[in-house]
PDB file of all heavy atoms in Angstrom:
ATOM      1  N   GLU A   1      23.343 104.806 133.110  1.00 38.00           N
ATOM      2  CA  GLU A   1      23.483 103.504 133.774  1.00 38.00           C
ATOM      3  C   GLU A   1      24.130 103.641 135.122  1.00 38.00           C
ATOM      4  O   GLU A   1      23.997 102.744 135.971  1.00 38.00           O
ATOM      5  CB  GLU A   1      24.333 102.578 132.901  1.00 38.00           C
ATOM      6  CG  GLU A   1      23.598 101.985 131.702  1.00 38.00           C
ATOM      7  CD  GLU A   1      23.440 103.005 130.581  1.00 38.00           C
ATOM      8  OE1 GLU A   1      24.093 104.062 130.641  1.00 38.00           O
ATOM      9  OE2 GLU A   1      22.652 102.759 129.645  1.00 38.00           O
ATOM     10  N   GLU A   2      24.867 104.752 135.404  1.00 36.00           N
ATOM     11  CA  GLU A   2      25.517 104.888 136.667  1.00 36.00           C
ATOM     12  C   GLU A   2      24.530 105.007 137.802  1.00 36.00           C
ATOM     13  O   GLU A   2      24.838 104.743 138.978  1.00 36.00           O
ATOM     14  CB  GLU A   2      26.420 106.146 136.639  1.00 36.00           C
ATOM     15  CG  GLU A   2      27.625 105.984 135.753  1.00 36.00           C
ATOM     16  CD  GLU A   2      28.503 107.205 135.727  1.00 36.00           C
ATOM     17  OE1 GLU A   2      28.164 108.167 136.451  1.00 36.00           O
ATOM     18  OE2 GLU A   2      29.512 107.217 135.003  1.00 36.00           O
ATOM     19  N   SER A   3      23.317 105.509 137.509  1.00 35.00           N
ATOM     20  CA  SER A   3      22.321 105.657 138.542  1.00 35.00           C
ATOM     21  C   SER A   3      21.568 104.391 138.867  1.00 35.00           C
ATOM     22  O   SER A   3      20.724 104.371 139.740  1.00 35.00           O
ATOM     23  CB  SER A   3      21.344 106.772 138.129  1.00 35.00           C
ATOM     24  OG  SER A   3      20.661 106.384 136.929  1.00 35.00           O
ATOM     25  N   ARG A   4      21.844 103.353 138.080  1.00 41.00           N
ATOM     26  CA  ARG A   4      21.149 102.112 138.307  1.00 41.00           C
ATOM     27  C   ARG A   4      21.736 101.378 139.489  1.00 41.00           C
ATOM     28  O   ARG A   4      22.725 101.765 140.058  1.00 41.00           O
ATOM     29  CB  ARG A   4      21.219 101.198 137.056  1.00 41.00           C
ATOM     30  CG  ARG A   4      20.466 101.810 135.852  1.00 41.00           C
ATOM     31  CD  ARG A   4      20.588 100.897 134.648  1.00 41.00           C
ATOM     32  NE  ARG A   4      19.924 101.472 133.487  1.00 41.00           N
ATOM     33  CZ  ARG A   4      19.924 100.905 132.289  1.00 41.00           C
ATOM     34  NH1 ARG A   4      20.539  99.762 132.101  1.00 41.00           N
ATOM     35  NH2 ARG A   4      19.289 101.498 131.279  1.00 41.00           N
ATOM     36  N   ALA A   5      21.068 100.260 139.832  1.00 45.00           N
ATOM     37  CA  ALA A   5      21.539  99.489 141.026  1.00 45.00           C
ATOM     38  C   ALA A   5      22.922  98.921 140.757  1.00 45.00           C
ATOM     39  O   ALA A   5      23.269  98.509 139.642  1.00 45.00           O
ATOM     40  CB  ALA A   5      20.584  98.348 141.283  1.00 45.00           C
ATOM     41  N   ILE A   6      23.743  98.949 141.771  1.00 51.00           N
ATOM     42  CA  ILE A   6      25.105  98.416 141.663  1.00 51.00           C
ATOM     43  C   ILE A   6      25.033  96.901 141.563  1.00 51.00           C
ATOM     44  O   ILE A   6      24.298  96.271 142.276  1.00 51.00           O
ATOM     45  CB  ILE A   6      25.912  98.809 142.897  1.00 51.00           C
ATOM     46  CG1 ILE A   6      25.958 100.318 143.015  1.00 51.00           C
ATOM     47  CG2 ILE A   6      27.317  98.191 142.855  1.00 51.00           C
ATOM     48  CD1 ILE A   6      26.592 100.813 144.273  1.00 51.00           C
ATOM     49  N   PRO A   7      25.765  96.273 140.632  1.00 53.00           N
ATOM     50  CA  PRO A   7      25.753  94.827 140.486  1.00 53.00           C
ATOM     51  C   PRO A   7      26.142  94.149 141.764  1.00 53.00           C
ATOM     52  O   PRO A   7      27.138  94.488 142.420  1.00 53.00           O
ATOM     53  CB  PRO A   7      26.769  94.552 139.373  1.00 53.00           C
ATOM     54  CG  PRO A   7      26.814  95.828 138.604  1.00 53.00           C
ATOM     55  CD  PRO A   7      26.593  96.903 139.597  1.00 53.00           C
ATOM     56  N   GLY A   8      25.343  93.168 142.200  1.00 55.00           N
ATOM     57  CA  GLY A   8      25.647  92.458 143.434  1.00 55.00           C
ATOM     58  C   GLY A   8      24.945  93.034 144.647  1.00 55.00           C
ATOM     59  O   GLY A   8      24.900  92.412 145.721  1.00 55.00           O
ATOM     60  N   LYS A   9      24.462  94.281 144.512  1.00 67.00           N
ATOM     61  CA  LYS A   9      23.786  94.894 145.657  1.00 67.00           C
ATOM     62  C   LYS A   9      22.387  94.311 145.816  1.00 67.00           C
ATOM     63  O   LYS A   9      21.669  94.069 144.862  1.00 67.00           O
ATOM     64  CB  LYS A   9      23.695  96.396 145.429  1.00 67.00           C
ATOM     65  CG  LYS A   9      23.096  97.180 146.614  1.00 67.00           C
ATOM     66  CD  LYS A   9      23.095  98.657 146.325  1.00 67.00           C
ATOM     67  CE  LYS A   9      22.475  99.416 147.490  1.00 67.00           C
ATOM     68  NZ  LYS A   9      22.431 100.879 147.230  1.00 67.00           N
ATOM     69  N   ASP A  10      22.011  94.093 147.072  1.00 76.00           N
ATOM     70  CA  ASP A  10      20.686  93.512 147.359  1.00 76.00           C
ATOM     71  C   ASP A  10      19.641  94.620 147.314  1.00 76.00           C
ATOM     72  O   ASP A  10      19.538  95.456 148.205  1.00 76.00           O
ATOM     73  CB  ASP A  10      20.711  92.876 148.753  1.00 76.00           C
ATOM     74  CG  ASP A  10      19.516  91.955 148.923  1.00 76.00           C
ATOM     75  OD1 ASP A  10      18.584  92.010 148.122  1.00 76.00           O
ATOM     76  OD2 ASP A  10      19.506  91.159 149.928  1.00 76.00           O
ATOM     77  N   THR A  11      18.808  94.604 146.244  1.00 78.00           N
ATOM     78  CA  THR A  11      17.786  95.611 146.090  1.00 78.00           C
ATOM     79  C   THR A  11      16.406  95.059 146.399  1.00 78.00           C
ATOM     80  O   THR A  11      15.394  95.716 146.077  1.00 78.00           O
ATOM     81  CB  THR A  11      17.829  96.130 144.653  1.00 78.00           C
ATOM     82  OG1 THR A  11      17.638  95.051 143.728  1.00 78.00           O
ATOM     83  CG2 THR A  11      19.157  96.785 144.313  1.00 78.00           C
ATOM     84  N   ARG A  12      16.326  93.922 146.990  1.00 84.00           N
ATOM     85  CA  ARG A  12      15.011  93.311 147.314  1.00 84.00           C
ATOM     86  C   ARG A  12      14.325  94.095 148.449  1.00 84.00           C
ATOM     87  O   ARG A  12      14.970  94.771 149.253  1.00 84.00           O
ATOM     88  CB  ARG A  12      15.175  91.849 147.694  1.00 84.00           C
ATOM     89  CG  ARG A  12      15.713  90.970 146.621  1.00 84.00           C
ATOM     90  CD  ARG A  12      15.981  89.566 147.157  1.00 84.00           C
ATOM     91  NE  ARG A  12      17.027  89.590 148.158  1.00 84.00           N
ATOM     92  CZ  ARG A  12      17.294  88.551 148.941  1.00 84.00           C
ATOM     93  NH1 ARG A  12      16.555  87.426 148.871  1.00 84.00           N
ATOM     94  NH2 ARG A  12      18.266  88.631 149.821  1.00 84.00           N
ATOM     95  N   LYS A  13      13.015  93.918 148.517  1.00 86.00           N
ATOM     96  CA  LYS A  13      12.244  94.493 149.622  1.00 86.00           C
ATOM     97  C   LYS A  13      12.624  93.748 150.920  1.00 86.00           C
ATOM     98  O   LYS A  13      13.129  92.666 150.927  1.00 86.00           O
ATOM     99  CB  LYS A  13      10.772  94.368 149.338  1.00 86.00           C
ATOM    100  CG  LYS A  13      10.286  95.052 148.068  1.00 86.00           C
ATOM    101  CD  LYS A  13      10.450  96.543 148.148  1.00 86.00           C
ATOM    102  CE  LYS A  13       9.906  97.223 146.877  1.00 86.00           C
ATOM    103  NZ  LYS A  13      10.071  98.701 146.950  1.00 86.00           N
ATOM    104  N   ALA A  14      12.321  94.420 152.043  1.00 89.00           N
ATOM    105  CA  ALA A  14      12.712  93.885 153.343  1.00 89.00           C
ATOM    106  C   ALA A  14      12.083  92.492 153.582  1.00 89.00           C
ATOM    107  O   ALA A  14      12.768  91.574 154.003  1.00 89.00           O
ATOM    108  CB  ALA A  14      12.300  94.853 154.457  1.00 89.00           C
ATOM    109  N   PHE A  15      10.799  92.343 153.266  1.00 89.00           N
ATOM    110  CA  PHE A  15      10.132  91.084 153.530  1.00 89.00           C
ATOM    111  C   PHE A  15      10.718  89.969 152.654  1.00 89.00           C
ATOM    112  O   PHE A  15      10.860  88.809 153.113  1.00 89.00           O
ATOM    113  CB  PHE A  15       8.633  91.201 153.268  1.00 89.00           C
ATOM    114  CG  PHE A  15       7.843  90.175 154.032  1.00 89.00           C
ATOM    115  CD1 PHE A  15       8.183  89.803 155.331  1.00 89.00           C
ATOM    116  CD2 PHE A  15       6.732  89.592 153.469  1.00 89.00           C
ATOM    117  CE1 PHE A  15       7.435  88.882 156.029  1.00 89.00           C
ATOM    118  CE2 PHE A  15       5.980  88.651 154.144  1.00 89.00           C
ATOM    119  CZ  PHE A  15       6.328  88.301 155.438  1.00 89.00           C
ATOM    120  N   ASP A  16      11.091  90.287 151.416  1.00 92.00           N
ATOM    121  CA  ASP A  16      11.735  89.310 150.567  1.00 92.00           C
ATOM    122  C   ASP A  16      13.085  88.886 151.131  1.00 92.00           C
ATOM    123  O   ASP A  16      13.501  87.729 151.015  1.00 92.00           O
ATOM    124  CB  ASP A  16      11.903  89.860 149.144  1.00 92.00           C
ATOM    125  CG  ASP A  16      10.682  89.658 148.279  1.00 92.00           C
ATOM    126  OD1 ASP A  16       9.972  88.669 148.502  1.00 92.00           O
ATOM    127  OD2 ASP A  16      10.449  90.463 147.389  1.00 92.00           O
ATOM    128  N   ARG A  17      13.814  89.852 151.744  1.00 93.00           N
ATOM    129  CA  ARG A  17      15.109  89.508 152.323  1.00 93.00           C
ATOM    130  C   ARG A  17      14.909  88.568 153.513  1.00 93.00           C
ATOM    131  O   ARG A  17      15.697  87.659 153.737  1.00 93.00           O
ATOM    132  CB  ARG A  17      15.831  90.769 152.751  1.00 93.00           C
ATOM    133  CG  ARG A  17      16.332  91.593 151.589  1.00 93.00           C
ATOM    134  CD  ARG A  17      17.409  92.585 152.025  1.00 93.00           C
ATOM    135  NE  ARG A  17      16.935  93.516 153.045  1.00 93.00           N
ATOM    136  CZ  ARG A  17      16.397  94.678 152.741  1.00 93.00           C
ATOM    137  NH1 ARG A  17      16.285  95.074 151.475  1.00 93.00           N
ATOM    138  NH2 ARG A  17      16.015  95.518 153.710  1.00 93.00           N
ATOM    139  N   TYR A  18      13.898  88.815 154.329  1.00 95.00           N
ATOM    140  CA  TYR A  18      13.653  87.946 155.498  1.00 95.00           C
ATOM    141  C   TYR A  18      13.266  86.532 155.038  1.00 95.00           C
ATOM    142  O   TYR A  18      13.765  85.537 155.609  1.00 95.00           O
ATOM    143  CB  TYR A  18      12.485  88.504 156.357  1.00 95.00           C
ATOM    144  CG  TYR A  18      12.775  89.876 156.911  1.00 95.00           C
ATOM    145  CD1 TYR A  18      11.735  90.812 157.116  1.00 95.00           C
ATOM    146  CD2 TYR A  18      14.069  90.278 157.238  1.00 95.00           C
ATOM    147  CE1 TYR A  18      12.017  92.050 157.634  1.00 95.00           C
ATOM    148  CE2 TYR A  18      14.334  91.524 157.738  1.00 95.00           C
ATOM    149  CZ  TYR A  18      13.283  92.425 157.961  1.00 95.00           C
ATOM    150  OH  TYR A  18      13.560  93.677 158.453  1.00 95.00           O
ATOM    151  N   VAL A  19      12.409  86.423 154.022  1.00 95.00           N
ATOM    152  CA  VAL A  19      12.033  85.125 153.508  1.00 95.00           C
ATOM    153  C   VAL A  19      13.272  84.441 152.886  1.00 95.00           C
ATOM    154  O   VAL A  19      13.443  83.225 153.025  1.00 95.00           O
ATOM    155  CB  VAL A  19      10.914  85.249 152.477  1.00 95.00           C
ATOM    156  CG1 VAL A  19      10.680  83.958 151.735  1.00 95.00           C
ATOM    157  CG2 VAL A  19       9.628  85.691 153.163  1.00 95.00           C
ATOM    158  N   GLY A  20      14.091  85.183 152.225  1.00 95.00           N
ATOM    159  CA  GLY A  20      15.321  84.648 151.637  1.00 95.00           C
ATOM    160  C   GLY A  20      16.257  84.090 152.698  1.00 95.00           C
ATOM    161  O   GLY A  20      16.855  83.042 152.511  1.00 95.00           O
ATOM    162  N   ALA A  21      16.359  84.816 153.816  1.00 96.00           N
ATOM    163  CA  ALA A  21      17.218  84.339 154.887  1.00 96.00           C
ATOM    164  C   ALA A  21      16.669  83.043 155.489  1.00 96.00           C
ATOM    165  O   ALA A  21      17.431  82.115 155.796  1.00 96.00           O
ATOM    166  CB  ALA A  21      17.350  85.430 155.979  1.00 96.00           C
ATOM    167  N   ALA A  22      15.353  82.969 155.607  1.00 97.00           N
ATOM    168  CA  ALA A  22      14.719  81.756 156.127  1.00 97.00           C
ATOM    169  C   ALA A  22      14.927  80.603 155.156  1.00 97.00           C
ATOM    170  O   ALA A  22      15.180  79.440 155.576  1.00 97.00           O
ATOM    171  CB  ALA A  22      13.234  81.964 156.394  1.00 97.00           C
ATOM    172  N   GLU A  23      14.805  80.869 153.857  1.00 97.00           N
ATOM    173  CA  GLU A  23      14.989  79.851 152.860  1.00 97.00           C
ATOM    174  C   GLU A  23      16.394  79.272 152.867  1.00 97.00           C
ATOM    175  O   GLU A  23      16.624  78.108 152.669  1.00 97.00           O
ATOM    176  CB  GLU A  23      14.643  80.382 151.467  1.00 97.00           C
ATOM    177  CG  GLU A  23      14.767  79.355 150.360  1.00 97.00           C
ATOM    178  CD  GLU A  23      14.638  79.985 148.975  1.00 97.00           C
ATOM    179  OE1 GLU A  23      14.805  81.212 148.846  1.00 97.00           O
ATOM    180  OE2 GLU A  23      14.361  79.219 148.042  1.00 97.00           O
ATOM    181  N   ALA A  24      17.376  80.153 153.106  1.00 97.00           N
ATOM    182  CA  ALA A  24      18.775  79.728 153.125  1.00 97.00           C
ATOM    183  C   ALA A  24      19.221  79.095 154.420  1.00 97.00           C
ATOM    184  O   ALA A  24      20.318  78.528 154.466  1.00 97.00           O
ATOM    185  CB  ALA A  24      19.666  80.951 152.799  1.00 97.00           C
ATOM    186  N   ALA A  25      18.398  79.162 155.460  1.00 97.00           N
ATOM    187  CA  ALA A  25      18.808  78.686 156.784  1.00 97.00           C
ATOM    188  C   ALA A  25      19.185  77.204 156.815  1.00 97.00           C
ATOM    189  O   ALA A  25      20.222  76.841 157.385  1.00 97.00           O
ATOM    190  CB  ALA A  25      17.697  78.962 157.827  1.00 97.00           C
ATOM    191  N   PRO A  26      18.388  76.277 156.198  1.00 97.00           N
ATOM    192  CA  PRO A  26      18.785  74.880 156.223  1.00 97.00           C
ATOM    193  C   PRO A  26      20.152  74.614 155.572  1.00 97.00           C
ATOM    194  O   PRO A  26      20.944  73.818 156.042  1.00 97.00           O
ATOM    195  CB  PRO A  26      17.668  74.163 155.484  1.00 97.00           C
ATOM    196  CG  PRO A  26      16.518  75.050 155.608  1.00 97.00           C
ATOM    197  CD  PRO A  26      17.069  76.443 155.577  1.00 97.00           C
ATOM    198  N   ILE A  27      20.428  75.279 154.436  1.00 96.00           N
ATOM    199  CA  ILE A  27      21.695  75.115 153.787  1.00 96.00           C
ATOM    200  C   ILE A  27      22.841  75.660 154.626  1.00 96.00           C
ATOM    201  O   ILE A  27      23.914  75.043 154.738  1.00 96.00           O
ATOM    202  CB  ILE A  27      21.681  75.790 152.408  1.00 96.00           C
ATOM    203  CG1 ILE A  27      20.852  74.921 151.421  1.00 96.00           C
ATOM    204  CG2 ILE A  27      23.083  76.010 151.856  1.00 96.00           C
ATOM    205  CD1 ILE A  27      20.848  75.437 150.000  1.00 96.00           C
ATOM    206  N   ALA A  28      22.604  76.815 155.271  1.00 96.00           N
ATOM    207  CA  ALA A  28      23.640  77.406 156.141  1.00 96.00           C
ATOM    208  C   ALA A  28      23.939  76.477 157.321  1.00 96.00           C
ATOM    209  O   ALA A  28      25.118  76.274 157.674  1.00 96.00           O
ATOM    210  CB  ALA A  28      23.146  78.769 156.634  1.00 96.00           C
ATOM    211  N   PHE A  29      22.891  75.941 157.928  1.00 96.00           N
ATOM    212  CA  PHE A  29      23.091  75.023 159.080  1.00 96.00           C
ATOM    213  C   PHE A  29      23.749  73.757 158.641  1.00 96.00           C
ATOM    214  O   PHE A  29      24.667  73.236 159.284  1.00 96.00           O
ATOM    215  CB  PHE A  29      21.757  74.737 159.737  1.00 96.00           C
ATOM    216  CG  PHE A  29      21.851  73.882 160.950  1.00 96.00           C
ATOM    217  CD1 PHE A  29      22.398  74.360 162.136  1.00 96.00           C
ATOM    218  CD2 PHE A  29      21.390  72.587 160.937  1.00 96.00           C
ATOM    219  CE1 PHE A  29      22.519  73.608 163.259  1.00 96.00           C
ATOM    220  CE2 PHE A  29      21.489  71.772 162.058  1.00 96.00           C
ATOM    221  CZ  PHE A  29      22.059  72.273 163.228  1.00 96.00           C
ATOM    222  N   GLY A  30      23.302  73.208 157.454  1.00 93.00           N
ATOM    223  CA  GLY A  30      23.919  72.006 156.968  1.00 93.00           C
ATOM    224  C   GLY A  30      25.370  72.184 156.589  1.00 93.00           C
ATOM    225  O   GLY A  30      26.205  71.268 156.811  1.00 93.00           O
ATOM    226  N   GLN A  31      25.706  73.343 156.102  1.00 94.00           N
ATOM    227  CA  GLN A  31      27.109  73.612 155.763  1.00 94.00           C
ATOM    228  C   GLN A  31      27.979  73.630 156.983  1.00 94.00           C
ATOM    229  O   GLN A  31      29.125  73.156 156.962  1.00 94.00           O
ATOM    230  CB  GLN A  31      27.198  74.982 155.026  1.00 94.00           C
ATOM    231  CG  GLN A  31      28.582  75.358 154.586  1.00 94.00           C
ATOM    232  CD  GLN A  31      28.586  76.573 153.683  1.00 94.00           C
ATOM    233  OE1 GLN A  31      28.615  76.471 152.469  1.00 94.00           O
ATOM    234  NE2 GLN A  31      28.532  77.734 154.275  1.00 94.00           N
ATOM    235  N   ILE A  32      27.468  74.191 158.090  1.00 94.00           N
ATOM    236  CA  ILE A  32      28.239  74.176 159.344  1.00 94.00           C
ATOM    237  C   ILE A  32      28.445  72.746 159.812  1.00 94.00           C
ATOM    238  O   ILE A  32      29.566  72.409 160.276  1.00 94.00           O
ATOM    239  CB  ILE A  32      27.475  74.979 160.418  1.00 94.00           C
ATOM    240  CG1 ILE A  32      27.418  76.471 160.024  1.00 94.00           C
ATOM    241  CG2 ILE A  32      28.132  74.831 161.774  1.00 94.00           C
ATOM    242  CD1 ILE A  32      26.560  77.309 160.928  1.00 94.00           C
ATOM    243  N   LEU A  33      27.445  71.905 159.693  1.00 93.00           N
ATOM    244  CA  LEU A  33      27.583  70.511 160.149  1.00 93.00           C
ATOM    245  C   LEU A  33      28.644  69.761 159.362  1.00 93.00           C
ATOM    246  O   LEU A  33      29.539  69.128 159.961  1.00 93.00           O
ATOM    247  CB  LEU A  33      26.216  69.837 160.064  1.00 93.00           C
ATOM    248  CG  LEU A  33      25.169  70.250 161.091  1.00 93.00           C
ATOM    249  CD1 LEU A  33      23.885  69.479 160.876  1.00 93.00           C
ATOM    250  CD2 LEU A  33      25.663  70.040 162.519  1.00 93.00           C
ATOM    251  N   TYR A  34      28.515  69.779 158.021  1.00 87.00           N
ATOM    252  CA  TYR A  34      29.478  68.926 157.288  1.00 87.00           C
ATOM    253  C   TYR A  34      30.837  69.541 157.225  1.00 87.00           C
ATOM    254  O   TYR A  34      31.853  68.810 157.066  1.00 87.00           O
ATOM    255  CB  TYR A  34      28.919  68.584 155.889  1.00 87.00           C
ATOM    256  CG  TYR A  34      28.821  69.689 154.896  1.00 87.00           C
ATOM    257  CD1 TYR A  34      29.904  70.267 154.325  1.00 87.00           C
ATOM    258  CD2 TYR A  34      27.542  70.120 154.470  1.00 87.00           C
ATOM    259  CE1 TYR A  34      29.822  71.264 153.360  1.00 87.00           C
ATOM    260  CE2 TYR A  34      27.426  71.132 153.543  1.00 87.00           C
ATOM    261  CZ  TYR A  34      28.550  71.701 152.995  1.00 87.00           C
ATOM    262  OH  TYR A  34      28.436  72.694 152.043  1.00 87.00           O
ATOM    263  N   ARG A  35      30.973  70.850 157.391  1.00 90.00           N
ATOM    264  CA  ARG A  35      32.286  71.417 157.476  1.00 90.00           C
ATOM    265  C   ARG A  35      32.984  71.031 158.792  1.00 90.00           C
ATOM    266  O   ARG A  35      34.187  70.855 158.839  1.00 90.00           O
ATOM    267  CB  ARG A  35      32.228  72.950 157.355  1.00 90.00           C
ATOM    268  CG  ARG A  35      32.220  73.461 155.933  1.00 90.00           C
ATOM    269  CD  ARG A  35      32.261  74.960 155.867  1.00 90.00           C
ATOM    270  NE  ARG A  35      32.432  75.406 154.505  1.00 90.00           N
ATOM    271  CZ  ARG A  35      32.496  76.705 154.177  1.00 90.00           C
ATOM    272  NH1 ARG A  35      32.411  77.627 155.110  1.00 90.00           N
ATOM    273  NH2 ARG A  35      32.696  77.062 152.903  1.00 90.00           N
ATOM    274  N   SER A  36      32.187  70.886 159.870  1.00 92.00           N
ATOM    275  CA  SER A  36      32.723  70.476 161.133  1.00 92.00           C
ATOM    276  C   SER A  36      33.260  69.070 161.047  1.00 92.00           C
ATOM    277  O   SER A  36      34.179  68.677 161.828  1.00 92.00           O
ATOM    278  CB  SER A  36      31.673  70.595 162.237  1.00 92.00           C
ATOM    279  OG  SER A  36      30.598  69.707 162.032  1.00 92.00           O
ATOM    280  N   VAL A  37      32.715  68.248 160.165  1.00 90.00           N
ATOM    281  CA  VAL A  37      33.148  66.881 159.989  1.00 90.00           C
ATOM    282  C   VAL A  37      34.352  66.828 159.037  1.00 90.00           C
ATOM    283  O   VAL A  37      35.373  66.157 159.293  1.00 90.00           O
ATOM    284  CB  VAL A  37      32.008  65.995 159.431  1.00 90.00           C
ATOM    285  CG1 VAL A  37      32.522  64.582 159.138  1.00 90.00           C
ATOM    286  CG2 VAL A  37      30.879  65.923 160.435  1.00 90.00           C
ATOM    287  N   LEU A  38      34.271  67.584 157.933  1.00 88.00           N
ATOM    288  CA  LEU A  38      35.349  67.516 156.943  1.00 88.00           C
ATOM    289  C   LEU A  38      36.619  68.171 157.391  1.00 88.00           C
ATOM    290  O   LEU A  38      37.739  67.806 156.934  1.00 88.00           O
ATOM    291  CB  LEU A  38      34.896  68.213 155.626  1.00 88.00           C
ATOM    292  CG  LEU A  38      33.758  67.526 154.885  1.00 88.00           C
ATOM    293  CD1 LEU A  38      33.327  68.389 153.683  1.00 88.00           C
ATOM    294  CD2 LEU A  38      34.137  66.130 154.431  1.00 88.00           C
ATOM    295  N   LYS A  39      36.555  69.093 158.327  1.00 89.00           N
ATOM    296  CA  LYS A  39      37.754  69.796 158.743  1.00 89.00           C
ATOM    297  C   LYS A  39      38.709  68.906 159.584  1.00 89.00           C
ATOM    298  O   LYS A  39      39.861  69.293 159.833  1.00 89.00           O
ATOM    299  CB  LYS A  39      37.414  71.043 159.599  1.00 89.00           C
ATOM    300  CG  LYS A  39      36.853  70.733 160.965  1.00 89.00           C
ATOM    301  CD  LYS A  39      36.542  72.007 161.729  1.00 89.00           C
ATOM    302  CE  LYS A  39      36.057  71.727 163.136  1.00 89.00           C
ATOM    303  NZ  LYS A  39      35.728  72.952 163.911  1.00 89.00           N
ATOM    304  N   ASN A  40      38.261  67.749 159.981  1.00 89.00           N
ATOM    305  CA  ASN A  40      39.052  66.874 160.804  1.00 89.00           C
ATOM    306  C   ASN A  40      40.139  66.121 159.981  1.00 89.00           C
ATOM    307  O   ASN A  40      41.015  65.480 160.595  1.00 89.00           O
ATOM    308  CB  ASN A  40      38.169  65.852 161.558  1.00 89.00           C
ATOM    309  CG  ASN A  40      37.252  66.521 162.542  1.00 89.00           C
ATOM    310  OD1 ASN A  40      37.634  67.487 163.179  1.00 89.00           O
ATOM    311  ND2 ASN A  40      36.011  66.004 162.645  1.00 89.00           N
ATOM    312  N   SER A  41      40.021  66.208 158.673  1.00 88.00           N
ATOM    313  CA  SER A  41      41.047  65.539 157.854  1.00 88.00           C
ATOM    314  C   SER A  41      41.572  66.486 156.756  1.00 88.00           C
ATOM    315  O   SER A  41      40.821  67.418 156.364  1.00 88.00           O
ATOM    316  CB  SER A  41      40.489  64.276 157.179  1.00 88.00           C
ATOM    317  OG  SER A  41      39.459  64.646 156.242  1.00 88.00           O
TER     318      SER A  41
END
């Protein structure tokens, strides 16, 4: 089992990682927006 992938390590193919980054982009941008509002209080 020691030769297997480390838990938490990203073992996806490069294209899958690019698509994953694009899929997560709206959530990442939205998180920046509402955090900029919530941090004022």
Side-chain angles (χ1 to χ4, degrees):
E1 284 75 12
E2 291 181 1
S3 61
R4 295 180 182 177
I6 300 174
K9 184 178 180 181
D10 194 348
T11 58
R12 296 173 296 168
K13 301 295 184 181
F15 204 38
D16 274 330
R17 290 199 298 269
Y18 299 148
V19 170
E23 181 188 19
I27 284 184
F29 183 71
Q31 182 171 262
I32 294 173
L33 288 180
Y34 68 71
R35 276 186 171 179
S36 64
V37 175
L38 293 176
K39 71 178 183 181
N40 295 323
S41 66

